[in-house]
Amino acid sequence: HVACTLRIGPCARTRMLWHSAEGGAMPSRNRGQSSGFYCTRRPAVCCAAGASSVFGLLLVALPRSPWSSSVADAVAPDSEDRQYKYYSYDETLRYFDDLKKQCPDIVDTWIAQEEFPEILPEGKNFRWASCGSGTCRTLIVRIANRAKLTDTTPEVFLSGALHGNERLGPLVVTELAGFLCKRYRAGDEDVMRLVDERSTWITPMTNAHGFFANTREENNMDPNRDFGYLQNPEKCMMTQTARTVNELFRRHLFQFELTFHGGMRALTYEWGSKNHMFDRRSTESPDDKAFTAVGVEIQEACGKDAVNHEWYPLGRINDLVYPVDGGMEDWSYGAGWEASPKPITVCRPKTYGGYDPQRTVYRRDSIAALVYLAEMDDFKTPKELTLGSSKELWAMGNQDGHVARNLRMCLKLIEFARPEVVFRPPTWPANLAPGVQLLLDVRGFGCLTMSLRLLLLPRSSLPAASS
């Protein structure tokens, strides 16, 4: 037999071609030797070969996908080239109503004030904020194959906007949902894997009132100072925004979170709080290596800017942005394992009829998402002409619009929620003639590196084998 170990650097789509031969098909320098090693260029394949070898192995590495992910490898670009545009509050609600009709098996929506009565004790009909002619509604979306959901389906949370005047994030997560729906219906193998084996939760307009009014705050309260982290107990969980996120995190164990903001350009991770600083620099979180490794991958997926620099500088929130009290990022990373009541605050707000303090007491290890904060652009609402078009998703360049680059980042992060090796069963002839090529498709999906051991046995050594 030939025992082969395949080690691939970044997980890329790979093909392996086996050549049947009499007496072995290793290069001539190995033929007939009792043992030897044949190693290709990176990605590396090393095969320890013996004189009785009946197969040789050749690996061909296919190009990595446009967003440094395997999601697009086998996917043809859409024929259309649609220019992206911003949606209003009402247009976003209608968009998801239509999306549910197009993909009823994988798109579910809820209104937080109806689904979570805890967040509005005055009742769902209480007019807590006005959005046009009606009461504001906080939309929650899940993209997942409902029929295949289990208790262990990995979950990801994407927040469009805590600050209502930062408009790019809501557009990105809305277009992401539409992309997943459309490509799923088209039978896209890898998008089906994202939807069938992962559950993506989205709050497109997390701050519904702020988004409608195009203002930072919700009723003059800043949602990203409203979480139970180093905050005054009466000054946290005041908003419908924070309470909605809190109820989602109480019910789901999110592995990753991506929250979108605007006003500068940075891709950051923990820590972002004053208690995790030393000499004016952020200390390391317990998951710093994981934050960095995944961060580099999703940073790469976004591509570069016009001067060939990474679009997003990558680092810790305290170092690249600034520390805050009551931030969602620190809370959604540490609420399940840091100490309470400090830094994890037990909140006792009085707004909207109050909120039960027990809703901010958490079971150990129930909240511990790996959180990324994307500050998307120097402008809180970039001009529409900078949003780009749908075809840019498929060919990463340094002139891409905002939506395509951030869609690639979202897809990559969702993929990481479930590391796996994808093996496409081969179709081989029943009788192998010398020199025939045998194709096997193996690739990593949702992983940083991949290691495989391939054991090839001559059929004659398996007398019971029928194929």
Side-chain angles (χ1 to χ4, degrees):
H1 67 272
V2 182
C4 302
T5 299
L6 165 66
R7 299 189 184 279
I8 302 178
C11 276
R13 187 182 181 90
T14 61
R15 291 187 305 174
M16 283 165 283
L17 300 174
W18 276 305
H19 294 266
S20 173
E22 296 176 336
M26 292 293 113
S28 59
R29 65 179 181 274
N30 287 335
R31 185 186 295 264
Q33 297 177 3
S34 60
S35 64
F37 290 91
Y38 164 49
C39 298
T40 69
R41 293 176 296 177
R42 187 179 180 223
V45 178
C46 296
C47 298
S52 61
S53 300
V54 295
F55 292 105
L57 179 139
L58 173 65
L59 178 140
V60 180
L62 299 185
R64 300 180 72 189
S65 69
W67 53 78
S68 187
S69 160
S70 54
V71 173
D73 284 336
V75 180
D78 293 332
S79 57
E80 67 173 355
D81 187 15
R82 179 172 55 87
Q83 296 296 311
Y84 294 116
K85 66 179 186 64
Y86 288 114
Y87 299 119
S88 68
Y89 168 86
D90 289 321
E91 288 171 335
T92 302
L93 291 175
R94 287 196 296 270
Y95 183 99
F96 281 100
D97 283 342
D98 291 342
L99 205 64
K100 282 181 64 176
K101 296 173 184 176
Q102 296 173 36
C103 297
D105 296 333
I106 67 169
V107 179
D108 289 287
T109 64
W110 298 267
I111 300 300
Q113 288 74 22
E114 299 171 0
E115 186 69 15
F116 306 142
E118 302 91 340
I119 73 176
L120 197 62
E122 298 278 2
K124 65 181 181 180
N125 295 322
F126 175 67
R127 199 175 180 88
W128 62 274
S130 295
C131 288
S133 60
T135 303
C136 295
R137 298 187 294 164
T138 307
L139 178 66
I140 301 169
V141 180
R142 181 184 66 193
I143 308 295
N145 186 334
R146 197 180 312 114
K148 295 188 176 182
L149 285 173
T150 70
D151 290 341
T152 59
T153 300
E155 299 181 299
V156 176
F157 175 63
L158 306 175
S159 169
L162 289 184
H163 295 144
N165 61 337
E166 297 166 7
R167 314 290 288 187
L168 185 53
L171 174 61
V172 167
V173 297
T174 297
E175 290 290 351
L176 171 71
F179 171 84
L180 292 173
C181 170
K182 179 178 181 180
R183 298 305 302 176
Y184 191 91
R185 290 174 61 201
D188 180 323
E189 177 185 328
D190 287 325
V191 169
M192 291 179 71
R193 185 170 287 108
L194 292 181
V195 175
D196 287 345
E197 300 175 8
R198 297 154 178 81
S199 182
T200 301
W201 290 81
I202 301 170
T203 51
M205 306 171 289
T206 320
N207 177 358
H209 174 255
F211 186 81
F212 174 82
N214 197 27
T215 60
R216 175 185 176 92
E217 300 175 329
E218 174 192 307
N219 286 331
N220 299 314
M221 297 175 285
D222 188 338
N224 208 31
R225 306 294 184 273
D226 195 34
F227 287 82
Y229 199 97
L230 292 178
Q231 191 55 279
N232 182 321
E234 295 186 356
K235 298 293 183 181
C236 55
M237 293 294 155
M238 298 187 296
T239 63
Q240 292 293 290
T241 303
R243 293 180 193 180
T244 296
V245 174
N246 186 58
E247 292 301 323
L248 279 172
F249 272 74
R250 288 186 63 87
R251 289 162 169 80
H252 302 277
L253 187 61
F254 294 112
Q255 293 178 225
F256 290 109
E257 173 190 340
L258 180 55
T259 174
F260 289 107
H261 285 263
M264 62 178 297
R265 199 196 299 178
L267 178 61
T268 55
Y269 50 87
E270 297 305 299
W271 293 104
S273 56
K274 299 172 185 176
N275 61 321
H276 290 293
M277 297 188 74
F278 178 76
D279 196 22
R280 292 198 258 181
R281 300 287 294 176
S282 181
T283 58
E284 290 186 1
S285 74
D287 297 289
D288 193 74
K289 286 187 177 180
F291 274 124
T292 303
V294 174
V296 167
E297 292 291 318
I298 63 175
Q299 176 196 41
E300 182 182 337
C302 293
K304 300 182 183 295
D305 61 18
V307 293
N308 214 35
H309 295 153
E310 298 291 347
W311 177 263
Y312 283 125
L314 178 68
R316 301 183 189 115
I317 301 171
N318 282 335
D319 298 337
L320 296 188
V321 189
Y322 47 79
V324 301
D325 294 336
M328 181 173 75
E329 297 79 19
D330 302 285
W331 169 85
S332 52
Y333 174 59
W337 55 274
E338 285 201 282
S340 181
K342 187 176 182 179
I344 308 303
T345 312
V346 177
C347 302
R348 296 177 173 83
K350 296 181 171 59
T351 54
Y352 308 132
Y355 190 52
D356 185 353
Q358 287 302 306
R359 306 308 292 174
T360 50
V361 176
Y362 309 104
R363 228 167 6 111
R364 181 74 179 176
D365 298 327
S366 62
I367 299 177
L370 261 67
V371 184
Y372 291 92
L373 161 63
E375 293 277 1
M376 307 172 76
D377 191 74
D378 293 338
F379 295 96
K380 291 182 179 293
T381 302
K383 293 181 179 180
E384 203 161 72
L385 59 84
T386 68
L387 300 179
S389 70
S390 57
K391 273 195 173 179
E392 293 172 345
L393 179 64
W394 306 96
M396 189 162 56
N398 63 3
Q399 300 293 329
D400 289 348
H402 287 296
V403 176
R405 73 168 60 91
N406 287 287
L407 282 180
R408 292 193 294 259
M409 177 165 63
C410 292
L411 291 167
K412 187 64 176 175
L413 195 65
I414 297 168
E415 184 185 331
F416 272 133
R418 184 184 174 117
E420 53 190 309
V421 175
V422 178
F423 173 83
R424 187 167 296 173
T427 301
W428 291 350
N431 298 311
L432 297 179
V436 68
Q437 287 192 350
L438 304 177
L439 175 64
L440 178 64
D441 191 342
V442 180
R443 58 194 171 101
F445 193 84
C447 61
L448 294 172
T449 59
M450 183 173 73
S451 180
L452 298 177
R453 181 170 291 275
L454 305 173
L455 184 62
L456 307 182
L457 300 175
R459 189 171 297 174
S460 58
S461 69
L462 300 172
S466 58
S467 62

